[in-house]
Amino acid sequence: MDFEANDKIRLRKKGCCGKDKNCCHEKNQLNVYDWLSDLPEAEKLTDFVEVQFKNTRKSYYLNSNGISLEKGDIVAVEASPGHDIGEVTLVGQLVLWQMKKTGFKFDSQNIKRVYRKVRPVDMQKYYEVKAKEHATMLQARKIAEDMNLEMKIGDVEYQGDGNKAIFYYIANDRVDFRQLIKVLAETFRVRIEMKQIGARQEAGRIGGIGPCGRALCCSTWMSNFVSVTTGAARYQDISLNPQKLAGQCAKLKCCLNYEVDAYVESQKKMPSREIPLETTTGSYYLFKTDILKGIMTYSTDKNFGANLVSIPAQRVFEVITMNKKGLKPENLVLDESDKENKGTPQSKDFQDGVGEGSLTRFDKDNRQKNGSNVKRRPGNFQKKPNKRDINGSGKNEQ
């Protein structure tokens, strides 16, 4: 098969039209980087290969016939029933580690074989069945709606030979679709398989632009989904607003987990939030904390902000130590004389010396200092008179 046909089949498997290799972008976020590819001996350690299909579906197959396979080859593999067509995404020793990571069992019943590289006849049949997927999905949605089933059929994937179809659906609760399977089998005359996917997988399959202005992480580079809890927002002192914390999948944003480890480590260096600070004027209770700056704000009331005082964490440790000894400072904030005596370093704010941080740096008046506002054109140039001409004492000097 030529290079152009390989491009079309690869785009088809990614959910594209397959007519133009530039019509859409391939989603390579699930591809594993083969860092052993430069070792020739690593490719001969196993006959297993990793094959990827549509909708990030992957499986592992045994190359029992000894076919020379490389990453990117389109192959026909064993299916139940018939055969399926997919792309080889990984070969060599790294396949064994991926099989162990995903929990693949080496049972004789689970191991399926690679039949051959695709032929023109296989590709022709493949294009025929893939052309029916969108119409099948719309018709299946109508059937599920008529049966009053609380589910949404998000996509349909036909097997390479057209003997089986996988219906991907989303449902909040458990759905009894036994009658639906019978109706779908009678309507489309194929073997039916129902596979439930989550809201995160559906958002990653569709894609989109997030509130940060960039493409969704789940549709670009994320390889797996990690559970996100509201505890990640609490560690970062983010307001628990469901509208701001939820992504396009209506679940908590995956990016809440990105910086939570840094906040947890910084929190360990901060004083306890439950300890009030005792002074001669009264007690102060923690109101809020800026973990990254190391600034803690205290209030004289437990329930709301009153007489707010912001002090560094180092000062909080000093006050807590004094309270344990039975001493109470007059004020939480140190005076300038106390700072000089104790050698407390003064906080230095950022200073922009070149003006790059100013939004109005291009709005300055760049007119000439001599007060002339008229722009001189090349055709209207006039020579400036000499002082001797003005006084009438002589001719112009050339």
Side-chain angles (χ1 to χ4, degrees), residues 323-383:
N323 293 157
K324 290 181 179 180
K325 296 179 181 180
L327 302 177
K328 295 182 180 180
E330 295 182 2
N331 296 316
L332 292 182
V333 181
L334 290 175
D335 297 334
E336 294 297 331
S337 59
D338 296 337
K339 291 181 180 180
E340 294 178 0
N341 295 333
K342 293 190 176 183
T344 304
Q346 298 289 339
S347 60
K348 296 182 180 180
D349 297 333
F350 172 75
Q351 297 181 355
D352 189 1
V354 296
E356 292 184 355
S358 176
L359 296 178
T360 60
R361 62 185 185 273
F362 296 115
D363 298 338
K364 297 180 181 179
D365 192 1
N366 294 327
R367 293 178 296 181
Q368 297 181 1
K369 296 182 179 180
N370 57 6
S372 176
N373 297 332
V374 180
K375 295 182 178 180
R376 296 181 179 180
R377 298 180 181 179
N380 298 332
F381 176 77
Q382 297 180 357
K383 186 176 179 180

Side-chain angles (χ1 to χ4, degrees), residues 262-393:
Y263 277 88
V264 171
E265 292 297 327
S266 300
Q267 183 64 38
K268 295 178 181 179
K269 304 176 183 178
M270 303 291 289
S272 175
R273 301 188 176 192
E274 306 298 331
I275 301 177
L277 303 183
E278 302 292 340
T279 63
T280 56
T281 58
S283 301
Y284 286 83
Y285 306 92
L286 182 66
F287 180 71
K288 66 177 182 178
T289 304
D290 191 336
I291 299 178
L292 299 182
K293 289 185 178 181
I295 303 297
M296 305 183 71
T297 303
Y298 282 84
S299 170
T300 55
D301 194 279
K302 288 184 178 181
N303 301 323
F304 58 89
N307 301 322
L308 299 179
V309 178
S310 298
I311 56 178
Q314 182 180 359
R315 175 58 178 169
V316 178
F317 280 117
E318 294 176 0
V319 176
I320 292 177
T321 304
M322 294 175 63
N323 293 157
K324 290 181 179 180
K325 296 179 181 180
L327 302 177
K328 295 182 180 180
E330 295 182 2
N331 296 316
L332 292 182
V333 181
L334 290 175
D335 297 334
E336 294 297 331
S337 59
D338 296 337
K339 291 181 180 180
E340 294 178 0
N341 295 333
K342 293 190 176 183
T344 304
Q346 298 289 339
S347 60
K348 296 182 180 180
D349 297 333
F350 172 75
Q351 297 181 355
D352 189 1
V354 296
E356 292 184 355
S358 176
L359 296 178
T360 60
R361 62 185 185 273
F362 296 115
D363 298 338
K364 297 180 181 179
D365 192 1
N366 294 327
R367 293 178 296 181
Q368 297 181 1
K369 296 182 179 180
N370 57 6
S372 176
N373 297 332
V374 180
K375 295 182 178 180
R376 296 181 179 180
R377 298 180 181 179
N380 298 332
F381 176 77
Q382 297 180 357
K383 186 176 179 180
K384 188 176 180 180
N386 196 303
K387 292 183 179 180
R388 298 179 62 186
D389 293 338
I390 296 177
N391 299 330
S393 60

Side-chain angles (χ1 to χ4, degrees), residues 152 154 168-173 195-208 216 218-219 225 246-254:
K152 174 190 174 183
Y168 297 90
Y169 72 94
I170 304 173
N172 296 327
D173 301 324
K195 182 173 293 187
Q196 185 177 4
I197 59 176
R200 298 181 186 275
Q201 288 81 357
E202 177 70 6
R205 189 185 66 84
I206 297 176
L216 297 180
C218 55
S219 62
F225 294 96
Q248 296 188 7
C249 58
K251 303 294 183 180
L252 292 176
K253 295 179 181 178
C254 296

Side-chain angles (χ1 to χ4, degrees), residues 17 21 27 35 83 110 114 118 141 150 165 184-185 194 197 231 236 250 260 270 280 288 301-302:
C17 61
K21 62 181 180 181
K27 298 179 180 180
W35 50 277
H83 70 272
N110 296 335
V114 177
V118 291
R141 285 183 179 178
E150 296 294 332
L184 294 178
M194 306 295 295
I197 59 176
Q236 303 173 66
V260 66
M270 303 291 289
T280 56
K288 66 177 182 178
D301 194 279
K302 288 184 178 181

